[in-house]
């Protein structure tokens, strides 16, 4: 009997998963999640590298006007932004893995279908609508959601790194896609985009986790919290958050500055730099190579911006970034030439450092003013970014058709960036703002 009692008292606890937190590993799981997110965004970045390379080949093959092609790109950019807040809400409902895997599959389908298109409306449907919807679900709201859930400390740095992933993807894919377009036509490039999106799906499904509590951990630098229940009514929540945020001044200032950000980057330079340089006699591969170099320095600038955001006031950082970008764009029309020369290289480096450096302080300001809803609010701010990009993608093509050059668009974008710098300084400090978390 005594032996039975002894055996009973020494019986180990059941081997079920603990309900509470586990012991934090030496390398926190959050960094592995960030790494998978980084690779995912790189794989999805192939679609963002292609529109600027399609304008001349499609114009040459189908005789579509640049305005028509620009319209398809503008639909893509607009849906990219408008889908983002709903995608953030869907991630709260169905989880990050399901939403991102589905989005990558839609991107692949849309890109692949363009191979068989014969009419302009098909370009709008396949590249504009399908790729736009898929890429919108892979937008920066994805990075914001991962950062908010998995990190308490070093949020600015991680945001900068994940934002830089898009530039890293551009660096990887743009030279390859431009070579394919130059040597083999635009169709193999479209197939490459589809394959790149599909290749990332297994990484997302097998390695990404929705919440630290899924693996019994606290967020990096924070305290353990149970995983919240799925939030139903994703669309209703996204719209409700929009109406609530729209009653505040900072939302409109953030949306306005970010619209100008999109107009002066994705809408203008990413879409029209290659054809504009080609107008001045520069080979397409050389112009695409310069865009890839922008991607190199974008990585440096965005990571540095994340580091700065952890330490300096975000609105002042935004003002500096927009002012410097505006100055650089005013000089660009004088730098375009048949060959690459040192002043052009200086512009590429300078502009690259500033390309998406605006993202970490913008996300920080959303978090400061809107707390738990910040990822969805940032999704709506990102929608304004893409609406601005879409407007200039279309307007740039029309301006080229009407005036025979892009000069007026460069000058207008420079002036808009000056206005964005002033708008950033007007944003007030959030009532819920807290000092940046210092590294341990």
């Amino acid at each position: 009997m005594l032996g039975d009692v002894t055996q009973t008292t020494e019986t180990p606890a059941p081997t079920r998963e603990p309900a509470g937190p586990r012991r934090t590993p030496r390398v926190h799981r959050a960094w592995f999640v960030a790494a998978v997110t980084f690779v995912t965004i790189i794989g999805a970045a192939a679609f963002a590298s292609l529109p600027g390379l399609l304008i001349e080949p499609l114009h040459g093959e189908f005789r579509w006007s640049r305005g028509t092609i620009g319209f398809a790109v503008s639909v893509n950019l607009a849906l990219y932004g408008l889908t983002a807040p709903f995608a953030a809400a869907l991630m709260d409902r169905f989880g990050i893995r399901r939403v991102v895997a589905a989005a990558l599959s839609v991107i692949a389908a849309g890109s692949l279908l363009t191979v068989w298109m014969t009419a302009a409306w098909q370009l709008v449907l396949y590249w504009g609508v399908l790729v736009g919807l898929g890429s919108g679900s892979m937008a920066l709201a994805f990075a914001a959601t991962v950062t908010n859930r998995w990190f308490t400390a070093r949020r600015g740095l991680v945001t900068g790194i994940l934002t830089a992933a898009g530039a890293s993807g551009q660096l990887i894919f743009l030279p390859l896609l431009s070579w394919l377009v130059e040597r083999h036509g635009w169709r193999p490039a479209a197939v490459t985009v589809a394959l790149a999106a599909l290749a990332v799906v297994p990484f997302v499904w097998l390695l990404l986790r929705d919440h630290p509590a899924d693996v019994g951990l606290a967020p990096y630098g924070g305290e353990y919290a149970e995983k919240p229940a799925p939030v139903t009514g994703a669309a209703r929540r996204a719209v409700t958050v929009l109406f609530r945020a729209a009653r505040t001044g900072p939302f409109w200032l953030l949306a306005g500055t970010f619209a100008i950000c999109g107009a002066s980057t994705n809408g203008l330079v990413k879409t029209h730099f290659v054809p504009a340089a080609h107008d001045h006699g520069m080979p397409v591969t050389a112009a695409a190579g310069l865009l890839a170099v922008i991607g190199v320095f974008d990585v440096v600038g965005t990571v540095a911006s994340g580091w700065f955001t952890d330490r300096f006031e975000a609105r002042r950082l935004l003002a500096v970034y927009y002012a410097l970008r505006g100055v650089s764009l005013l000089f660009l029309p004088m730098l375009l030439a048949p060959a690459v020369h040192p002043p052009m290289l200086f512009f590429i480096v300078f502009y690259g450092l500033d390309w998406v450096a605006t993202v970490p302080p913008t996300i920080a300001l959303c978090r400061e003013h809107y707390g738990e809803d910040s990822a969805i609010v940032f999704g709506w701010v990102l929608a304004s970014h893409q609406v601005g990009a879409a407007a200039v993608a279309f307007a740039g093509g029309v301006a080229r058709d009407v005036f025979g050059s892009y000069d007026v668009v460069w000058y207008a974008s420079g002036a808009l960036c000056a206005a964005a710098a002033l708008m950033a300084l007007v944003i007030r400090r959030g009532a819920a703002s807290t000092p940046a978390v210092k590294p341990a």
Side-chain angles (χ1 to χ4, degrees), residues 91 94-100 142 145-146 149 208 210:
M91 288 177 189
F94 297 105
I96 297 173
R97 287 194 301 172
R98 293 179 180 178
V99 173
V100 174
F142 171 41
T145 301
V146 170
R149 290 186 184 183
L208 197 61
D210 293 324

Side-chain angles (χ1 to χ4, degrees), residues 8 26 34 44 46 93 106 126 160 163 191 244 271 276 310 322 342 355 359 412:
T8 301
R26 180 169 297 181
R93 174 66 179 88
V106 171
Y126 300 152
T163 303
V191 173
R244 189 160 54 239
T271 303
D310 284 334
Y322 285 121
W355 178 273
V359 173

Side-chain angles (χ1 to χ4, degrees), residues 8 42 109 118 200 227 270 322 324 337 387 430:
T8 301
I42 286 178
T118 56
V200 182
K227 181 178 179 179
K270 183 171 283 188
Y322 285 121
L324 293 177
V387 169

Side-chain angles (χ1 to χ4, degrees), residues 63-163:
R63 309 312 303 169
W64 298 335
S65 71
R66 292 176 178 84
T68 298
I69 300 168
F71 176 72
V73 176
S74 71
V75 171
N76 175 293
L77 294 173
L79 287 177
Y80 177 100
L82 293 172
T83 305
F86 295 98
L90 286 171
M91 288 177 189
D92 287 341
R93 174 66 179 88
F94 297 105
I96 297 173
R97 287 194 301 172
R98 293 179 180 178
V99 173
V100 174
L104 289 166
S105 301
V106 171
I107 290 171
S111 183
L112 195 60
L113 285 170
T114 59
V115 173
W116 295 283
M117 69 183 177
T118 56
W121 68 265
Q122 293 170 332
L123 176 66
V124 175
L125 175 62
Y126 300 152
W127 194 262
V129 176
L130 290 181
V131 176
L133 289 173
S135 59
S137 301
M138 283 292 305
L140 292 173
F142 171 41
T145 301
V146 170
T147 304
N148 286 350
R149 290 186 184 183
W150 282 89
F151 291 87
T152 300
R154 302 188 185 273
R155 277 178 169 170
L157 176 63
V158 175
T159 300
I161 292 172
L162 295 182
T163 303

